[in-house]
Amino acid sequence: IVLTQSPGTLSLSPGDRATLSCRASQSVDNNYIAWYQQKPGRAPSLLIYGASRRATDVPDRFSGSGSGTDFTLTISRLEPEDFAVYYCQHYGSSPGYTFGQGTKLEIK
Amino acid sequence: QVQLVESGGDLVKPGGSLRLSCAASGFSFSDYYMAWIRQAPGKGLEWLAYISRDSTYINYAASLKGRFTISRDNAKRSLYLQMNGLRVEDTAVYYCARDHRSGYHLSWGQGTPVTVSS
């Protein structure tokens, strides 16, 4: 499965709503899509799994949705610390797990 | 708290070998699948391999073409990645991760850099 994220870069202001897209080349079983956040010089961290389930300690301004081939990460009201790169990932099936190419969320 | 600490990254010549280690603490290591992921400079994430709790199930990215081997030692709470036939394009930061059994990465180490250059 190939994952295509859009846009490549998203320029928004604190307080704005962010909508990030992840499209799969074929239908994803069990909605096995995860989202990760990566800040510069840091390891990624898990935000969302199962397309819509927030990981432990993730603020509720982060939400995931979607099914089939189209998935979305929404950040309802951007905080300064949310500006980072976001990756979606398909997991749970052979031959292997794949990441999207990432969306950079930058301050406008 | 959960800690994953990678080590073993180095500068190596093309064709060389390297063994990465990941020391785990703060959780029951033998209860979790583990994985390796890498990130080339300025690029995105690339999943490499996972290993099941008792090493029964192992899966690799097709792109590795048998050059890398994942293993673990539950008694030592350690995960390993043996890398052979290294190429310039293997230059990256290598992360180990603690996985949910379904495959998503619950927590990540800080990464260890590998540079392949003559």
Side-chain angles (χ1 to χ4, degrees):
Chain A
I1 291 181
V2 176
L3 299 179
T4 302
Q5 292 187 241
S6 62
T9 302
L10 186 57
S11 300
L12 294 170
S13 301
D16 287 349
R17 179 184 184 91
T19 303
L20 287 67
S21 172
C22 177
R23 177 162 290 179
S25 58
Q26 61 192 76
S27 187
V28 175
D29 292 338
N30 304 117
N31 285 343
Y32 275 179
I33 289 290
W35 290 90
Y36 302 87
Q37 177 192 66
Q38 186 177 32
K39 297 180 181 179
R42 304 286 297 275
S45 62
L46 178 67
L47 292 174
I48 300 287
Y49 64 95
S52 61
R53 302 183 179 192
R54 265 190 305 275
T56 304
D57 295 331
V58 172
D60 61 7
R61 63 181 181 274
F62 291 90
S63 63
S65 62
S67 64
T69 60
D70 290 310
F71 299 88
T72 300
L73 174 70
T74 301
I75 311 171
S76 60
R77 189 174 172 83
L78 285 166
E79 298 287 342
E81 62 267 27
D82 299 336
F83 292 90
V85 180
Y86 292 84
Y87 294 94
C88 61
Q89 183 199 25
H90 165 250
Y91 59 92
S93 65
S94 293
Y97 308 159
T98 53
F99 289 93
Q101 81 279 18
T103 290
K104 181 180 181 181
L105 179 55
E106 65 176 23
I107 299 177
K108 188 173 182 180
Chain B
Q1 74 281 20
V2 172
Q3 261 203 313
L4 298 168
V5 180
E6 301 93 336
S7 60
D10 206 348
L11 170 62
V12 61
K13 288 180 167 35
S17 297
L18 210 53
R19 188 195 197 204
L20 305 183
S21 300
C22 171
S25 60
F27 65 100
S28 180
F29 181 73
S30 59
D31 285 345
Y32 286 87
Y33 281 55
M34 299 293 293
W36 287 99
I37 303 103
R38 71 182 178 185
Q39 186 170 36
K43 302 296 185 183
L45 301 169
E46 181 184 11
W47 174 84
L48 298 177
Y50 74 69
I51 185 168
S52 65
R53 290 176 285 252
D54 61 359
S55 305
T56 300
Y57 302 105
I58 289 174
N59 194 16
Y60 295 98
S63 61
L64 297 182
K65 297 188 193 303
R67 297 184 297 122
F68 291 8
T69 303
I70 189 172
S71 63
R72 66 189 294 164
D73 185 333
N74 286 344
K76 294 184 178 179
R77 304 173 61 85
S78 292
L79 176 72
Y80 305 102
L81 186 68
Q82 177 67 42
M83 304 187 294
N84 298 328
L86 283 163
R87 305 168 180 170
V88 171
E89 56 265 34
D90 294 319
T91 295
V93 174
Y94 285 72
Y95 297 101
C96 69
R98 179 178 67 120
D99 276 12
H100 185 269
R101 65 182 183 278
S102 62
Y104 60 88
H105 309 304
L106 288 160
S107 42
W108 300 59
Q110 86 290 348
T112 188
V114 172
T115 302
V116 184
S117 174
S118 55

